């Protein structure tokens, strides 16, 4: 029974991730006001919070008897599914913050081209 519950929760998580990936623009308008360093630290913190939340929920399910021989208790299954959704959401948000860091570094400034056009004036040699 636990395998069926796990598979159904997994399908919910994958469906949520698929839905998140198909959204036109992630709601990251608040990141435009954040400094680069803050975005990087926030992304790292979100990853750690997501992992802590997931393991905390699994620990709570274990401590309060949610694992049974016939499978997860209904409340435990619901908790694991909802916390799994929160885990995926936090990971998606963290990845989006990391992508904004990469975009900023690529588009932050204009750099001169690596080659320059030769106009003919550069080839003139001046006598020593």
């Amino acid at each position: 029974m636990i395998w069926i519950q796990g598979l159904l929760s997994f399908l919910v998580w994958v469906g949520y991730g698929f839905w998140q990936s198909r959204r036109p623009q992630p709601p990251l308008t608040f990141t435009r006001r954040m400094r680069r360093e803050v975005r990087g630290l926030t992304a790292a913190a979100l990853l750690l919070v997501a992992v802590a939340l997931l393991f905390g929920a699994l620990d709570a399910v274990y401590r309060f008897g949610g694992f049974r021989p016939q499978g997860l208790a209904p409340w435990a299954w619901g908790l694991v599914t909802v916390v799994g959704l929160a885990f995926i959401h936090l990971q998606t948000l963290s990845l989006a913050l990391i992508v904004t860091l990469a975009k900023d570094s690529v588009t932050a400034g204009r750099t001169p081209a690596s080659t320059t056009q030769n106009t003919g004036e550069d080839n003139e040699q001046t006598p020593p």
Side-chain angles (χ1 to χ4, degrees):
M1 178 70 171
I2 196 166
W3 293 106
I4 294 171
Q5 291 172 323
L7 179 64
L8 291 174
S9 293
F10 181 74
L11 290 174
V12 169
W13 300 331
V14 168
Y16 181 73
F18 185 75
W19 177 74
Q20 281 285 83
S21 71
R22 297 291 180 227
R23 290 176 59 188
Q25 182 80 17
L28 293 175
T29 55
F30 69 93
T31 62
R32 293 184 184 121
R33 296 178 297 223
M34 297 171 80
R35 292 190 337 250
R36 280 183 60 82
E37 299 83 21
V38 174
R39 276 186 276 167
L41 290 173
T42 302
L46 287 174
L47 286 175
L48 293 175
V49 166
V51 170
L53 182 66
L54 185 65
F55 282 113
L58 290 175
D59 183 56
V61 168
Y62 175 75
R63 287 180 190 264
F64 293 110
F67 291 109
R68 297 182 178 161
Q70 64 273 17
L72 287 170
W75 67 267
W77 184 23
L79 179 67
V80 168
T81 302
V82 169
V83 169
L85 285 173
F87 177 78
I88 290 173
H89 183 75
L90 291 173
Q91 282 188 327
T92 304
L93 186 57
S94 177
L95 182 63
L97 284 168
I98 292 169
V99 167
T100 64
L101 290 174
K103 276 185 170 180
D104 284 353
S105 66
V106 170
T107 60
R110 299 238 182 245
T111 57
S114 59
T115 59
T116 57
Q117 280 189 322
N118 189 357
T119 60
E121 296 172 10
D122 295 338
N123 289 338
E124 295 179 16
Q125 294 180 351
T126 55

